[in-house]
Amino acid sequence: MELTPTPKKERNKTLDVLRGFSLLGIVIANLLAFNLPLPHIDLGSWFTLPSDIKWHQLIDIYVQGSFYPLFAMLFGYGVAMQWQKAVAKGEPFWATGTRRMLGLFIIGALHALLIWWGDILMMYAVFGTLLLFFLRMRPFLLFFLAFAWNAIIQLFMLVFSSHELVDDVYYSNIVGIGDALAAYGTGTWKEIFSQRMVDLAVQNDVMMWFMALFTIFPYMLIGAAASKLQLIERAAHFKWLWIGLAVTTFPIGIYLKNLPILQDRTFFLEYIKTYVGGPLTAIGYAAIIVSLCLIPVMAKLLTPFATVGRVSLSTYIGQSIILSVLFYGFGFGLYGKINVQSGVLIAVTIFIVQVVLADLWLRKFNQGPLEALWRKFTYFKLRV
């Protein structure tokens, strides 16, 4: 198999725009984790200043819980595209696919161990490997399995979610908060590494993986099904489907994500916000962007998102590197010192800088540095 990236003229710009837009949401959401002692606190009750509360509510409604489903669907879409290309060329995909997921897992593990405890790549690699077993299925069967699989956890949560008010003490780990503030704020790289291992263990406990199996993985199945139907490549043909999704799922999702704010916060409303409102909003975002990209002038205006979307892996890891330097003690030491509004401004600034850097890089190279490394690992063959 020839070791070359997908030529620019063969790439789907809308898909790259969606990836780039997802990366903007991800850096905004992740900035809170780099600035605050997550996962030891309840963000909904952490802030005390009215401006911080308001800005966090805006992030909670429009960002938090909506971009990981979108990115998971895009991941499934991309894996299914690669499988279809291999089938069209009569080439086997299983060995290539598993090696690709192994490479992603290694990058994710290094990211988690050396940079940030909140890595998502390892989970994507594990579930991506599982996804390979489903790629031969027809798209509508994939849709059915995705909704049925997700329905298991939805029914469980509907039955067992409590209508009691959320108590911030339930979420708070006083010792963990103090340790995180001390290590990340003023600690050495070694002290930060030790704290990162603690937070990584909390983040990757068995329950988190169990929940992700019934949430993130179904979104990958949805993405794979959409890819097999070529819903993005043939967006003009499915125009009314995309417009219909845009005008229904987005407002419903935003309304559901507002419920814990409009009413007293309960565990049940938090569940509705995260596991129902979040995915609906994600689908709404995708539908809005796909619909806008059908308009030539709008597609051109969205080009900056497509630029970083072409180097999504490098952009994602780059965000973590920049944020760790800005917030941790071995860098500028801004940990715990930035209000939410300033954090959003920093995140958007980082994204804009990455757009410029990605554009400069792609003028000389066809793919990002980590994408090239990942691809070389995938297709490398030992010569005896």
Side-chain angles (χ1 to χ4, degrees):
M1 186 176 292
E2 187 180 0
L3 183 59
T4 56
T6 302
K8 182 178 179 181
K9 64 181 180 180
E10 295 181 12
R11 295 186 68 92
N12 185 279
K13 183 177 179 180
T14 301
L15 198 55
D16 285 333
V17 170
L18 285 167
R19 291 192 183 104
F21 178 72
S22 297
L23 288 163
L24 173 59
I26 286 171
V27 71
I28 292 173
N30 288 352
L31 186 136
L32 292 174
F34 275 94
N35 183 43
L36 298 173
L38 293 175
H40 308 288
I41 62 173
D42 167 39
L43 279 174
S45 57
W46 175 259
F47 301 103
T48 56
L49 294 177
S51 60
D52 281 344
I53 293 172
K54 184 62 178 178
W55 275 93
H56 173 253
Q57 288 175 345
L58 291 173
I59 294 175
D60 216 21
I61 294 168
Y62 293 100
V63 178
Q64 197 70 38
S66 296
F67 282 86
Y68 81 86
L70 178 56
F71 215 69
M73 286 185 277
L74 292 172
F75 184 83
Y77 202 104
V79 172
M81 283 181 63
Q82 294 161 4
W83 176 81
Q84 291 174 93
K85 288 179 181 178
V87 170
K89 295 178 181 179
E91 299 171 344
F93 185 71
W94 175 255
T96 301
T98 53
R99 192 177 179 98
R100 185 172 177 82
M101 295 306 161
L102 176 60
L104 185 64
F105 186 89
I106 292 172
I107 294 172
L110 292 174
H111 178 221
L113 293 173
L114 302 177
I115 304 174
W116 184 46
W117 54 265
D119 172 78
I120 196 66
L121 300 179
M122 290 188 294
M123 182 175 291
Y124 276 38
V126 171
F127 292 151
T129 303
L130 180 61
L131 179 63
L132 299 180
F133 291 94
F134 294 81
L135 292 178
R136 293 187 179 277
M137 293 182 178
R138 295 182 180 276
F140 291 103
L141 179 56
L142 287 172
F143 277 128
F144 173 79
L145 288 175
F147 289 113
W149 192 247
N150 184 247
I152 295 174
I153 200 67
Q154 298 286 8
L155 291 173
F156 178 85
M157 296 296 287
L158 281 172
V159 172
F160 292 102
S161 287
S162 170
H163 289 272
E164 295 180 2
L165 296 178
V166 175
D167 184 356
D168 62 302
V169 177
Y170 176 83
Y171 286 108
S172 297
N173 177 354
I174 303 302
V175 175
I177 292 172
D179 290 344
L181 288 171
Y184 294 128
T186 59
T188 63
W189 192 94
K190 183 178 180 180
E191 291 169 335
I192 290 172
F193 176 82
S194 298
Q195 182 62 39
R196 188 185 300 120
M197 295 304 98
V198 173
D199 292 344
L200 183 62
V202 174
Q203 174 72 6
N204 285 273
D205 64 9
V206 174
M207 182 54 66
M208 188 278 296
W209 279 86
F210 176 80
M211 289 295 294
L213 180 62
F214 289 94
T215 52
I216 290 180
F217 181 64
Y219 305 141
M220 291 184 180
L221 291 175
I222 291 174
S227 178
K228 298 189 83 170
L229 290 173
Q230 295 187 312
L231 292 186
I232 293 178
E233 293 88 341
R234 301 171 60 208
H237 177 76
F238 294 104
K239 177 177 67 175
W240 293 111
L241 170 64
W242 285 117
I243 293 175
L245 288 172
V247 300
T248 55
T249 58
F250 185 76
I252 293 174
I254 293 299
Y255 171 75
L256 293 178
K257 295 189 75 177
N258 266 285
L259 288 180
I261 298 173
L262 298 174
Q263 305 178 34
D264 292 331
R265 288 180 71 210
T266 66
F267 290 101
F268 177 76
L269 291 181
E270 285 293 315
Y271 147 71
I272 292 294
K273 178 193 75 174
T274 302
Y275 295 107
V276 182
L280 285 175
T281 305
I283 295 172
Y285 276 136
I288 290 171
I289 290 174
V290 173
S291 299
L292 288 176
C293 285
L294 292 174
I295 306 171
V297 65
M298 292 304 301
K300 188 172 184 179
L301 289 174
L302 293 171
T303 297
F305 290 103
T307 302
V308 291
R310 289 181 59 193
V311 291
S312 56
L313 179 60
S314 297
T315 300
Y316 172 70
I317 298 296
Q319 289 172 353
S320 293
I321 293 173
I322 294 170
L323 290 171
S324 62
V325 171
L326 287 175
F327 286 94
Y328 290 168
F330 58 74
F332 291 89
L334 297 178
Y335 190 85
K337 300 176 182 178
I338 300 298
N339 61 37
V340 181
Q341 182 178 0
S342 298
V344 173
L345 179 60
I346 290 172
V348 173
T349 301
I350 290 172
F351 183 81
I352 293 173
V353 170
Q354 287 187 306
V355 169
V356 175
L357 293 176
D359 181 64
L360 293 173
W361 180 273
L362 291 172
R363 290 182 184 183
K364 187 173 182 180
F365 304 99
N366 289 328
Q367 57 186 160
L370 284 180
E371 284 78 4
L373 183 64
W374 185 19
R375 189 176 182 89
K376 287 180 180 179
F377 176 87
T378 301
Y379 299 115
F380 176 74
K381 292 182 179 181
L382 291 174
R383 290 178 174 83
V384 182

